Structures are given as C-alpha cells and as structure tokens.
C-alpha cells in the first residue's frame, strides 16, 4: 500500500519560514519524481516544486529563490524548505510521487495546511 504522509505545516507570520516533510512508503522511492503542489481555497491545485530521480529540480516562478526542494532516498523523504513566506503562499500543500514506466504511477498525500498571516 502506497502512503505519502506530509507534516510540518502550520501558522507562520509573513517573512517567516517552514519546512515541510513527506514520508513515502510502499514505492521504490528512488525511481520516482517527487513533487510539492498546493491548493488555495477556490483555486486549482498548482505545482510548487519537483525533484527528479536524478535530483534535478524545478520550481514555480512564484517560489523561485524562496523555496528549496530536496530528497533523501535512504529515508524515503522529500522536503520543502520555505523561506520569506507571503500571505499568498497560504494553501494546503500536497506531496506527489510520479513515475512513468510503461504505465503511469501517480500518488498523492492528504496534504498539510500552511497559513501565512500576521
């Protein structure tokens, strides 16, 4: 059974930092592209950052220079370090695991709430 479990969300003031974690189980983690996506109220889910199996990273323009995605294959963990947080970063952040190998393997976590407010 595949599980992606996010943690680390919470309430933070503008300009503050948070580190999100995602623990994966039930997948051959090192072969997956891992990603963080977010969904704000009334908006569609959007890509925040991804990291491939070769640790190539990609970021949404809105978070470049502020957020950093990383992975630890030995621990089956992916992280999102978020600095200089803005109110518009408020959303539910979801972890994603994706692999396309003959068929599409696409898994999601339940999400963790991040609220940026003074």
């Amino acid at each position: 059974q595949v599980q992606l479990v996010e943690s680390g969300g919470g309430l933070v003031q503008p300009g503050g930092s948070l580190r999100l974690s995602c623990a994966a189980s039930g997948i051959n983690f090192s072969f997956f592209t891992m990603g963080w996506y977010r969904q704000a109220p009334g908006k569609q889910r959007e890509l925040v950052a991804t990291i491939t199996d070769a640790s190539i990273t990609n970021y949404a323009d809105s978070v470049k220079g502020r957020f950093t995605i990383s992975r630890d294959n030995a621990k089956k963990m992916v992280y999102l370090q978020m600095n200089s947080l803005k109110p518009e970063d408020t959303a539910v952040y979801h972890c994603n695991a994706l692999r396309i190998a003959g068929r599409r393997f696409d898994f999601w976590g339940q999400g963790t709430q991040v609220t940026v407010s003074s």
Side-chain angles (χ1 to χ4, degrees), residues 27-80:
I27 60 172
N28 197 336
F29 182 84
S30 61
F31 290 112
F32 278 74
T33 289
M34 300 301 297
W36 288 96
Y37 292 73
R38 67 187 181 188
Q39 187 165 19
K43 294 188 177 181
Q44 289 189 328
R45 189 174 293 186
E46 63 176 3
L47 178 146
V48 176
T50 59
I51 183 166
T52 70
D53 55 348
S55 292
I56 297 170
T57 58
N58 180 56
Y59 296 93
D61 287 343
S62 59
V63 307
K64 280 181 182 176
R66 300 189 297 124
F67 291 10
T68 303
I69 189 171
S70 60
R71 65 189 295 159
D72 185 331
N73 288 341
K75 295 181 179 179
K76 295 188 175 182
M77 297 287 294
V78 61
Y79 306 99
L80 186 69

